[in-house]
């Protein structure tokens, strides 16, 4: 089901916890070969290898795709992208879909992710946080997912450019950005308190009050 913009105003949604972190891996010609979708909690709700169309395997120099060989794609890919897109689009209406390079991910969807409650580009959000200004473009430079992970000291479990690894990194970077941007708004770039403990104590005081 796809909601209109006016209907979305009346949908109760938690803009933090109702996030889905999306990563799609593809070939140079943007044939999708792998997709992962992770909830804010860390629960993986989709982690699939995509079976490309038959013509794909007739191309020259198509031996490996982000570490996935033709054999893996043929034997492990159960759904083609047309089928997978329909499944994903049915999941999106009550979620904010978060991607690192949002415009890149939108190109894989016929509705450009309009089925989602809303979308969020973490690459642009990190650029606004990091503030590496480029006078030529009169804007902040965009950074890679790897750069952001290293900046925050986030450990990598797996290989970059595999959808599960990148989606999990995206989730952790996004959560870290929430905290860092909150501190920036308060003018506290180097906070000396435990943010999570402060929230917990505040909640307990309200219950006991």
């Amino acid at each position: 089901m796809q909601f209109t913009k006016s209907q979305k105003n009346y949908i109760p949604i938690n803009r933090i916890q109702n996030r889905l972190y999306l990563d799609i891996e593809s070939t140079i010609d943007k044939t999708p070969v792998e997709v992962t979708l992770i909830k804010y909690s860390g629960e993986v709700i989709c982690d699939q290898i995509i079976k490309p169309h038959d013509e794909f395997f007739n191309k020259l120099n198509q031996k490996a795709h982000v570490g996935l060989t033709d054999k893996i794609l043929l034997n492990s890919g159960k759904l083609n992208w047309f089928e997978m897109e329909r499944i994903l689009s049915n999941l999106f209406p009550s979620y904010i879909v978060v991607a690192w390079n949002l415009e890149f991910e939108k190109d894989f969807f016929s509705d450009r992710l309009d089925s989602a409650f809303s979308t969020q580009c973490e690459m642009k959000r990190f650029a606004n946080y990091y503030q590496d200004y480029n006078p030529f473009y009169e804007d902040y430079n965009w950074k890679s997912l790897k750069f952001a992970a290293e900046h925050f000291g986030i450990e990598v479990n797996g290989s970059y450019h595999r959808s599960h690894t990148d989606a999990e990194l995206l989730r952790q970077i996004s959560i870290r950005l929430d905290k860092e941007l909150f501190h920036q708004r308060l003018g506290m770039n180097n906070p000396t308190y435990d943010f999570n403990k402060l929230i917990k104590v505040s909640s307990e005081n309200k219950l006991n009050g």
Side-chain angles (χ1 to χ4, degrees), residues 11-44:
I11 300 173
I13 188 168
N14 185 312
R15 291 187 174 273
I16 299 296
Q17 296 182 358
N18 281 60
R19 291 180 186 169
L20 289 178
Y21 298 96
L22 170 71
D23 186 83
I24 299 170
E25 296 300 324
S26 68
T27 61
I28 294 174
D29 65 355
K30 298 197 74 172
T31 297
V33 293
E34 193 176 35
V35 59
T36 299
L37 202 60
I38 302 180
K39 284 187 172 183
Y40 178 83
S41 63
E43 178 187 355
V44 179

Short mmCIF file of all heavy atoms in Angstrom, two decimals, residues 11-44:
data_model
loop_
_atom_site.label_atom_id
_atom_site.label_comp_id
_atom_site.label_asym_id
_atom_site.label_seq_id
_atom_site.Cartn_x
_atom_site.Cartn_y
_atom_site.Cartn_z
N ILE A 11 0.13 9.29 10.00
CA ILE A 11 0.64 7.98 10.37
C ILE A 11 1.55 8.12 11.58
O ILE A 11 2.53 8.88 11.54
CB ILE A 11 1.43 7.34 9.20
CG1 ILE A 11 0.53 7.16 7.99
CG2 ILE A 11 2.02 5.99 9.62
CD1 ILE A 11 1.27 6.69 6.75
N PRO A 12 1.24 7.43 12.69
CA PRO A 12 2.13 7.50 13.86
C PRO A 12 3.43 6.77 13.58
O PRO A 12 3.45 5.57 13.32
CB PRO A 12 1.32 6.79 14.96
CG PRO A 12 0.41 5.87 14.22
CD PRO A 12 0.09 6.55 12.91
N ILE A 13 4.53 7.49 13.60
CA ILE A 13 5.81 6.87 13.26
C ILE A 13 6.91 7.45 14.14
O ILE A 13 6.92 8.65 14.43
CB ILE A 13 6.14 7.10 11.76
CG1 ILE A 13 7.37 6.29 11.36
CG2 ILE A 13 6.31 8.57 11.42
CD1 ILE A 13 7.60 6.22 9.86
N ASN A 14 7.78 6.59 14.60
CA ASN A 14 8.94 7.01 15.37
C ASN A 14 10.08 7.26 14.39
O ASN A 14 10.56 6.32 13.75
CB ASN A 14 9.32 5.91 16.38
CG ASN A 14 10.45 6.34 17.31
OD1 ASN A 14 11.47 6.86 16.87
ND2 ASN A 14 10.28 6.11 18.60
N ARG A 15 10.51 8.50 14.27
CA ARG A 15 11.49 8.85 13.24
C ARG A 15 12.90 8.33 13.53
O ARG A 15 13.79 8.47 12.70
CB ARG A 15 11.50 10.37 13.02
CG ARG A 15 10.22 10.86 12.39
CD ARG A 15 10.28 12.33 12.01
NE ARG A 15 9.09 12.72 11.27
CZ ARG A 15 8.95 12.59 9.97
NH1 ARG A 15 9.94 12.10 9.25
NH2 ARG A 15 7.84 12.97 9.38
N ILE A 16 13.10 7.74 14.68
CA ILE A 16 14.38 7.11 14.99
C ILE A 16 14.26 5.60 14.82
O ILE A 16 14.98 4.98 14.05
CB ILE A 16 14.84 7.44 16.42
CG1 ILE A 16 15.03 8.96 16.59
CG2 ILE A 16 16.14 6.71 16.74
CD1 ILE A 16 16.12 9.54 15.73
N GLN A 17 13.32 5.00 15.52
CA GLN A 17 13.23 3.54 15.54
C GLN A 17 12.56 2.95 14.30
O GLN A 17 12.76 1.78 14.01
CB GLN A 17 12.50 3.10 16.81
CG GLN A 17 13.27 3.45 18.08
CD GLN A 17 12.58 2.97 19.34
OE1 GLN A 17 11.51 2.39 19.29
NE2 GLN A 17 13.21 3.22 20.48
N ASN A 18 11.78 3.74 13.60
CA ASN A 18 11.13 3.23 12.38
C ASN A 18 12.01 3.50 11.15
O ASN A 18 11.55 4.04 10.16
CB ASN A 18 9.75 3.88 12.18
CG ASN A 18 8.70 3.24 13.06
OD1 ASN A 18 8.82 3.26 14.27
ND2 ASN A 18 7.69 2.66 12.45
N ARG A 19 13.25 3.10 11.26
CA ARG A 19 14.18 3.24 10.14
C ARG A 19 14.54 1.86 9.59
O ARG A 19 14.66 0.90 10.35
CB ARG A 19 15.47 3.94 10.57
CG ARG A 19 15.33 5.41 10.92
CD ARG A 19 16.69 5.94 11.33
NE ARG A 19 16.62 7.32 11.81
CZ ARG A 19 17.63 7.93 12.43
NH1 ARG A 19 18.78 7.29 12.61
NH2 ARG A 19 17.52 9.17 12.85
N LEU A 20 14.71 1.81 8.28
CA LEU A 20 15.25 0.62 7.63
C LEU A 20 16.52 1.04 6.90
O LEU A 20 16.50 1.99 6.11
CB LEU A 20 14.24 0.04 6.64
CG LEU A 20 13.00 -0.65 7.21
CD1 LEU A 20 12.11 -1.13 6.07
CD2 LEU A 20 13.37 -1.83 8.10
N TYR A 21 17.60 0.33 7.15
CA TYR A 21 18.88 0.65 6.53
C TYR A 21 19.08 -0.25 5.31
O TYR A 21 19.10 -1.48 5.42
CB TYR A 21 20.02 0.49 7.54
CG TYR A 21 19.85 1.43 8.71
CD1 TYR A 21 19.24 1.01 9.88
CD2 TYR A 21 20.26 2.76 8.60
CE1 TYR A 21 19.06 1.89 10.95
CE2 TYR A 21 20.08 3.64 9.66
CZ TYR A 21 19.48 3.20 10.82
OH TYR A 21 19.30 4.08 11.86
N LEU A 22 19.21 0.38 4.15
CA LEU A 22 19.23 -0.33 2.87
C LEU A 22 20.59 -0.24 2.20
O LEU A 22 21.19 0.83 2.13
CB LEU A 22 18.17 0.29 1.95
CG LEU A 22 18.17 -0.14 0.48
CD1 LEU A 22 17.68 -1.59 0.34
CD2 LEU A 22 17.28 0.80 -0.35
N ASP A 23 21.06 -1.38 1.70
CA ASP A 23 22.25 -1.37 0.85
C ASP A 23 22.05 -2.36 -0.29
O ASP A 23 21.66 -3.51 -0.07
CB ASP A 23 23.51 -1.75 1.63
CG ASP A 23 24.77 -1.59 0.76
OD1 ASP A 23 25.26 -0.45 0.68
OD2 ASP A 23 25.20 -2.59 0.16
N ILE A 24 22.33 -1.89 -1.51
CA ILE A 24 22.25 -2.72 -2.71
C ILE A 24 23.62 -2.71 -3.37
O ILE A 24 24.19 -1.65 -3.60
CB ILE A 24 21.19 -2.18 -3.70
CG1 ILE A 24 19.80 -2.17 -3.05
CG2 ILE A 24 21.17 -3.02 -4.98
CD1 ILE A 24 18.75 -1.44 -3.87
N GLU A 25 24.12 -3.90 -3.66
CA GLU A 25 25.38 -4.01 -4.39
C GLU A 25 25.08 -4.38 -5.84
O GLU A 25 24.15 -5.15 -6.12
CB GLU A 25 26.29 -5.06 -3.76
CG GLU A 25 26.74 -4.71 -2.34
CD GLU A 25 27.52 -3.41 -2.27
OE1 GLU A 25 28.28 -3.13 -3.22
OE2 GLU A 25 27.38 -2.69 -1.27
N SER A 26 25.85 -3.81 -6.75
CA SER A 26 25.57 -4.01 -8.17
C SER A 26 26.86 -4.08 -8.97
O SER A 26 27.95 -3.81 -8.46
CB SER A 26 24.69 -2.88 -8.71
OG SER A 26 25.43 -1.66 -8.72
N THR A 27 26.73 -4.42 -10.24
CA THR A 27 27.86 -4.42 -11.16
C THR A 27 28.08 -3.01 -11.68
O THR A 27 27.33 -2.09 -11.36
CB THR A 27 27.59 -5.37 -12.33
OG1 THR A 27 26.42 -4.91 -13.02
CG2 THR A 27 27.34 -6.78 -11.85
N ILE A 28 29.11 -2.85 -12.50
CA ILE A 28 29.42 -1.54 -13.07
C ILE A 28 28.24 -0.99 -13.87
O ILE A 28 27.97 0.22 -13.86
CB ILE A 28 30.68 -1.62 -13.95
CG1 ILE A 28 31.90 -1.95 -13.09
CG2 ILE A 28 30.92 -0.31 -14.72
CD1 ILE A 28 33.18 -2.18 -13.86
N ASP A 29 27.52 -1.88 -14.57
CA ASP A 29 26.38 -1.41 -15.36
C ASP A 29 25.08 -1.36 -14.54
O ASP A 29 23.99 -1.30 -15.09
CB ASP A 29 26.18 -2.28 -16.61
CG ASP A 29 25.81 -3.71 -16.26
OD1 ASP A 29 25.80 -4.05 -15.06
OD2 ASP A 29 25.51 -4.49 -17.19
N LYS A 30 25.23 -1.40 -13.18
CA LYS A 30 24.11 -1.24 -12.24
C LYS A 30 23.09 -2.38 -12.34
O LYS A 30 21.90 -2.15 -12.21
CB LYS A 30 23.45 0.13 -12.41
CG LYS A 30 24.37 1.29 -12.11
CD LYS A 30 23.64 2.59 -11.88
CE LYS A 30 22.95 2.61 -10.53
NZ LYS A 30 22.38 3.94 -10.22
N THR A 31 23.58 -3.58 -12.53
CA THR A 31 22.73 -4.76 -12.38
C THR A 31 22.79 -5.17 -10.91
O THR A 31 23.86 -5.53 -10.42
CB THR A 31 23.22 -5.92 -13.26
OG1 THR A 31 23.15 -5.55 -14.63
CG2 THR A 31 22.38 -7.17 -13.03
N PRO A 32 21.67 -5.12 -10.18
CA PRO A 32 21.71 -5.47 -8.75
C PRO A 32 22.01 -6.95 -8.55
O PRO A 32 21.43 -7.80 -9.22
CB PRO A 32 20.31 -5.11 -8.25
CG PRO A 32 19.45 -5.09 -9.46
CD PRO A 32 20.32 -4.70 -10.61
N VAL A 33 22.93 -7.26 -7.62
CA VAL A 33 23.29 -8.65 -7.37
C VAL A 33 23.14 -9.04 -5.89
O VAL A 33 23.18 -10.22 -5.56
CB VAL A 33 24.74 -8.95 -7.83
CG1 VAL A 33 24.85 -8.87 -9.35
CG2 VAL A 33 25.74 -8.02 -7.16
N GLU A 34 22.94 -8.05 -5.02
CA GLU A 34 22.81 -8.36 -3.60
C GLU A 34 22.11 -7.21 -2.89
O GLU A 34 22.36 -6.05 -3.18
CB GLU A 34 24.20 -8.59 -2.99
CG GLU A 34 24.20 -9.21 -1.61
CD GLU A 34 25.60 -9.50 -1.11
OE1 GLU A 34 26.53 -8.70 -1.40
OE2 GLU A 34 25.79 -10.51 -0.41
N VAL A 35 21.25 -7.55 -1.92
CA VAL A 35 20.52 -6.51 -1.19
C VAL A 35 20.36 -6.93 0.28
O VAL A 35 20.14 -8.10 0.58
CB VAL A 35 19.13 -6.24 -1.81
CG1 VAL A 35 18.28 -7.50 -1.84
CG2 VAL A 35 18.40 -5.12 -1.07
N THR A 36 20.52 -5.96 1.17
CA THR A 36 20.32 -6.19 2.61
C THR A 36 19.49 -5.04 3.18
O THR A 36 19.66 -3.88 2.80
CB THR A 36 21.66 -6.28 3.36
OG1 THR A 36 22.40 -7.38 2.85
CG2 THR A 36 21.44 -6.49 4.85
N LEU A 37 18.61 -5.40 4.11
CA LEU A 37 17.75 -4.44 4.78
C LEU A 37 17.79 -4.76 6.27
O LEU A 37 17.51 -5.89 6.68
CB LEU A 37 16.32 -4.55 4.24
CG LEU A 37 15.36 -3.37 4.38
CD1 LEU A 37 15.92 -2.15 3.65
CD2 LEU A 37 14.01 -3.75 3.82
N ILE A 38 18.18 -3.77 7.09
CA ILE A 38 18.33 -3.98 8.52
C ILE A 38 17.50 -2.95 9.29
O ILE A 38 17.49 -1.77 8.94
CB ILE A 38 19.81 -3.86 8.95
CG1 ILE A 38 20.67 -4.88 8.18
CG2 ILE A 38 19.96 -4.09 10.46
CD1 ILE A 38 22.15 -4.83 8.54
N LYS A 39 16.83 -3.40 10.34
CA LYS A 39 16.05 -2.50 11.18
C LYS A 39 16.97 -1.70 12.11
O LYS A 39 18.14 -2.05 12.31
CB LYS A 39 15.06 -3.30 12.04
CG LYS A 39 13.84 -3.81 11.29
CD LYS A 39 12.85 -4.44 12.28
CE LYS A 39 11.55 -4.79 11.61
NZ LYS A 39 10.56 -5.33 12.58
N TYR A 40 16.41 -0.67 12.72
CA TYR A 40 17.15 0.16 13.67
C TYR A 40 17.72 -0.68 14.81
O TYR A 40 18.83 -0.44 15.29
CB TYR A 40 16.23 1.25 14.24
CG TYR A 40 16.87 2.14 15.27
CD1 TYR A 40 17.64 3.23 14.89
CD2 TYR A 40 16.69 1.89 16.64
CE1 TYR A 40 18.24 4.06 15.84
CE2 TYR A 40 17.28 2.70 17.59
CZ TYR A 40 18.05 3.79 17.19
OH TYR A 40 18.64 4.59 18.13
N SER A 41 16.98 -1.70 15.23
CA SER A 41 17.39 -2.58 16.33
C SER A 41 18.57 -3.47 15.97
O SER A 41 19.20 -4.06 16.84
CB SER A 41 16.21 -3.47 16.75
OG SER A 41 15.84 -4.33 15.68
N GLY A 42 18.86 -3.61 14.67
CA GLY A 42 19.92 -4.49 14.22
C GLY A 42 19.39 -5.78 13.62
O GLY A 42 20.16 -6.60 13.10
N GLU A 43 18.07 -5.97 13.69
CA GLU A 43 17.47 -7.18 13.11
C GLU A 43 17.56 -7.14 11.58
O GLU A 43 17.15 -6.15 10.96
CB GLU A 43 16.00 -7.29 13.53
CG GLU A 43 15.28 -8.49 12.94
CD GLU A 43 13.80 -8.50 13.22
OE1 GLU A 43 13.32 -7.62 13.97
OE2 GLU A 43 13.10 -9.38 12.68
N VAL A 44 18.09 -8.19 11.01
CA VAL A 44 18.19 -8.29 9.55
C VAL A 44 16.90 -8.88 9.00
O VAL A 44 16.53 -10.00 9.34
CB VAL A 44 19.38 -9.18 9.13
CG1 VAL A 44 19.47 -9.29 7.62
CG2 VAL A 44 20.68 -8.62 9.69
#
